[in-house]
Amino acid sequence: MFIDKAKIRNSFSLINKIVRYNLKIIFGNLFIYFLLAAFVFYLLIGLLIFFNSDTVPDAATVYYLLLFPGLLLIFYPTTFGIQHDMDNRMIEILFGIPDYRYKVWLVRMTIIYVLVFALLVFLSLLSFVAISEFHILTMVYQLMFPIFFIGCFAFMLSTWVRNGFGSMVILVAFGMAFWVLSGILRESEWNLFLNPFHIPEEISEVIWADLKMKNRLYILSATILMLLAGLLNLQKREKFI
């Protein structure tokens, strides 16, 4: 079977250009700074846990350690993306081509989540070596549920508010409220920040497994609904132009 190497190279070159172009748009040329900020945050909190913890760090500790860099990296592009499009007159181009805005934003969301996934894999490897042993892919898989949720919620908010700072205020308030309630909802399937690696002593493994499954199912369902709501909001041309 003949393989056209030139065509393959051109395809990879095109994909590379698309990814780099969208990175510049969704991160506003600040991608490297957000990446460094996430890494520095991880190092600082990791050092505090490693040297000041009264207990031996385990997978449950690493879960919270990795959650914040992932949320930090996804926060800016999903919250300020629509505003960047409006400021750069990009939104007018997107509305000028039928259904094109859906494809653009689905590609952008895919790029964002792939980057976050890659970062979490890298940080998980560091944590596995330096802090505690755990199953790396399972850790990253579990982390992606709240990260997907927050990312799609921020995207949906940005299509309603149409202002990055306004969306940021609402998102931060929402996140802080859920974080405070996570203490009350610690062993509830409604806890957005449920730590699947922290098994309560008073709950059997069977009940805990069922609770985790319901929690992830609820988060996934809400995430899909918010993504669809955000895409549907982009139909309202008069709101953005």
Side-chain angles (χ1 to χ4, degrees):
M1 182 178 178
F2 177 73
I3 299 177
D4 191 341
K5 294 183 179 180
K7 188 175 182 180
I8 294 176
R9 283 196 299 268
N10 291 335
S11 298
F12 277 109
S13 177
L14 178 61
I15 292 173
N16 180 54
K17 289 179 180 178
I18 292 174
V19 170
R20 293 182 63 177
Y21 175 74
N22 279 282
L23 280 177
K24 289 181 180 179
I25 294 176
I26 60 184
F27 282 98
N29 291 320
L30 299 174
F31 171 68
I32 187 64
Y33 298 106
F34 279 93
L35 191 61
L36 287 174
F39 187 66
V40 169
F41 184 89
Y42 165 81
L43 288 179
L44 290 176
I45 302 301
L47 288 173
L48 288 175
I49 291 174
F50 188 79
F51 288 108
N52 296 328
S53 180
D54 295 330
T55 60
V56 178
D58 55 9
T61 306
V62 174
Y63 179 83
Y64 284 131
L65 171 63
L66 297 177
L67 179 61
F68 288 102
L71 292 176
L72 177 63
L73 195 59
I74 206 167
F75 173 79
Y76 182 82
T78 54
T79 305
F80 286 83
I82 296 296
Q83 181 175 324
H84 284 319
D85 282 341
M86 295 174 65
D87 292 342
N88 298 324
R89 302 289 184 179
M90 188 70 181
I91 198 75
E92 297 178 10
I93 298 174
L94 297 182
F95 274 109
I97 306 174
D99 297 331
Y100 186 60
R101 57 196 177 277
Y102 302 132
K103 297 176 184 178
V104 168
W105 264 101
L106 284 175
V107 168
R108 290 180 183 177
M109 295 292 279
T110 301
I111 291 173
I112 294 168
Y113 285 125
V114 168
L115 284 172
V116 173
F117 181 87
L119 173 68
L120 290 177
V121 169
F122 175 70
L123 295 181
S124 295
L125 285 170
L126 290 181
S127 302
F128 181 86
V129 174
I131 300 177
S132 178
E133 293 185 1
F134 54 88
H135 194 282
I136 293 174
L137 290 182
T138 300
M139 175 66 72
V140 177
Y141 168 76
Q142 293 293 345
L143 284 165
M144 292 307 292
F145 281 94
I147 290 174
F148 262 114
F149 180 94
I150 293 296
C152 290
F153 180 61
F155 170 64
M156 181 184 70
L157 273 179
S158 68
T159 62
W160 284 343
V161 181
R162 306 183 305 283
N163 179 274
F165 290 101
S167 302
M168 179 185 68
V169 171
I170 297 174
L171 183 64
V172 170
F174 174 85
M176 291 299 296
F178 253 97
W179 186 255
V180 171
L181 290 174
S182 65
I184 302 174
L185 302 173
R186 178 173 299 182
E187 299 165 7
S188 169
E189 63 266 29
W190 302 105
N191 183 7
L192 174 61
F193 299 111
L194 178 75
N195 191 330
F197 299 96
H198 175 72
I199 305 177
E201 296 180 357
E202 65 276 11
I203 297 180
S204 68
E205 292 187 7
V206 175
I207 295 177
W208 180 245
D210 182 65
L211 188 148
K212 285 194 300 182
M213 183 184 68
K214 289 180 179 178
N215 175 263
R216 283 353 194 184
L217 182 61
Y218 295 159
I219 291 177
L220 181 60
S221 300
T223 299
I224 294 172
L225 289 175
M226 288 186 294
L227 177 60
L228 292 175
L231 293 174
L232 288 174
N233 284 335
L234 290 177
Q235 285 187 330
K236 302 173 183 178
R237 179 190 181 104
E238 66 280 358
K239 290 176 58 179
F240 301 95
I241 299 177

